[in-house]
Amino acid sequence: MGSTKNIMIVGVGGQGTLLASRILGNVVISSGYDVKVSEVHGMSQRGGGVVTYVKYGEKVFSPIIDKAEADIILAFERLEAYRALPFLKRNGKLIVNDRRIDPMPVITGAMEYPEGITEEMKEKADVTALDALALAEEAGSPKAVNVVMIGLMAKHTDIAYNRWVDTIKKTVPAKLLDINLKAFDLGYQAG
């Protein structure tokens, strides 16, 4: 791989974007790539947006991903996917957990949650959308949405399935390993 790969992970606080970025960072390091990770937190503790940039390749100098540079956007929530869309490059892949989590302005009634955004995103980009929560629950925990999404994204990378599994084994706490391995596999198969 001569070029750098740019992946954005977006979601809301509490969805496990940081664990997802740790798994991604660890798997690309174990694959022999240089990697830079940058986490940008909004009001993550209050359900606000969280963005993580992961860049990897032979040599990476900056973790920041500008508009129209992301090869993949991994979005744990529909509105966060929509907000991140300008960062996707022309032939990039948008992978979306097709779930709605109302941000604070919607909860307080100051704003309306936009309708039809999944369809609008599909008109503008190559979108794979799935209900990751249903697969996470099937794996044994609704908190495993992040690893379902990593599994779905893994299918769109050049990194071998077994390397992802080995990385999850080294990254996830032992007591949660079985659920997370099942979640990864369900996401991978859905891809």
Side-chain angles (χ1 to χ4, degrees):
M1 181 178 81
S3 65
T4 300
K5 288 284 187 201
N6 300 317
I7 300 176
M8 272 180 78
I9 302 173
V10 299
V12 296
Q15 285 192 293
T17 56
L18 302 183
L19 176 61
S21 65
R22 201 172 310 132
I23 292 169
L24 178 56
N26 289 346
V27 81
V28 296
I29 288 170
S30 75
S31 300
Y33 296 116
D34 185 26
V35 66
K36 298 282 186 284
V37 178
S38 174
E39 296 160 357
V40 180
H41 301 276
M43 293 289 288
S44 56
Q45 310 81 354
R46 304 199 191 288
V50 178
V51 178
T52 304
Y53 302 114
V54 180
K55 286 178 108 167
Y56 68 95
E58 288 172 21
K59 189 73 190 135
V60 179
F61 298 98
S62 165
I64 303 303
I65 298 171
D66 289 321
K67 288 192 172 163
E69 283 189 351
D71 294 288
I72 296 175
I73 295 176
L74 185 64
F76 292 1
E77 195 275 336
R78 197 183 308 150
L79 185 57
E80 295 303 321
Y82 187 73
R83 289 180 183 161
L85 198 54
F87 289 88
L88 192 64
K89 69 169 45 167
R90 187 171 193 70
N91 295 317
K93 182 85 180 145
L94 179 59
I95 300 169
V96 184
N97 176 20
D98 201 16
R99 281 278 168 167
R100 171 180 167 163
I101 299 173
D102 288 346
M104 199 49 72
V106 172
I107 293 169
T108 62
M111 285 179 67
E112 296 274 321
Y113 194 98
E115 296 300 321
I117 56 177
T118 301
E119 294 73 23
E120 191 178 328
M121 288 186 289
K122 285 180 177 179
E123 291 171 9
K124 296 178 179 178
D126 178 5
V127 177
T128 298
L130 90 156
D131 183 351
L133 180 59
L135 293 178
E137 288 171 342
E138 186 181 330
S141 172
K143 292 185 175 179
V145 163
N146 55 350
V147 182
V148 169
M149 296 299 292
I150 283 286
L152 182 58
M153 184 196 70
K155 194 84 170 221
H156 299 280
T157 68
D158 57 354
I159 297 169
Y161 177 88
N162 289 341
R163 189 173 297 272
W164 286 98
V165 169
D166 291 344
T167 300
I168 290 168
K169 288 177 179 176
K170 292 174 185 163
T171 309
V172 172
K175 66 181 180 184
L176 302 172
L177 189 57
D178 288 346
I179 288 170
N180 281 287
L181 288 173
K182 187 170 182 188
F184 176 81
D185 191 58
L186 288 169
Y188 194 87
Q189 298 311 323

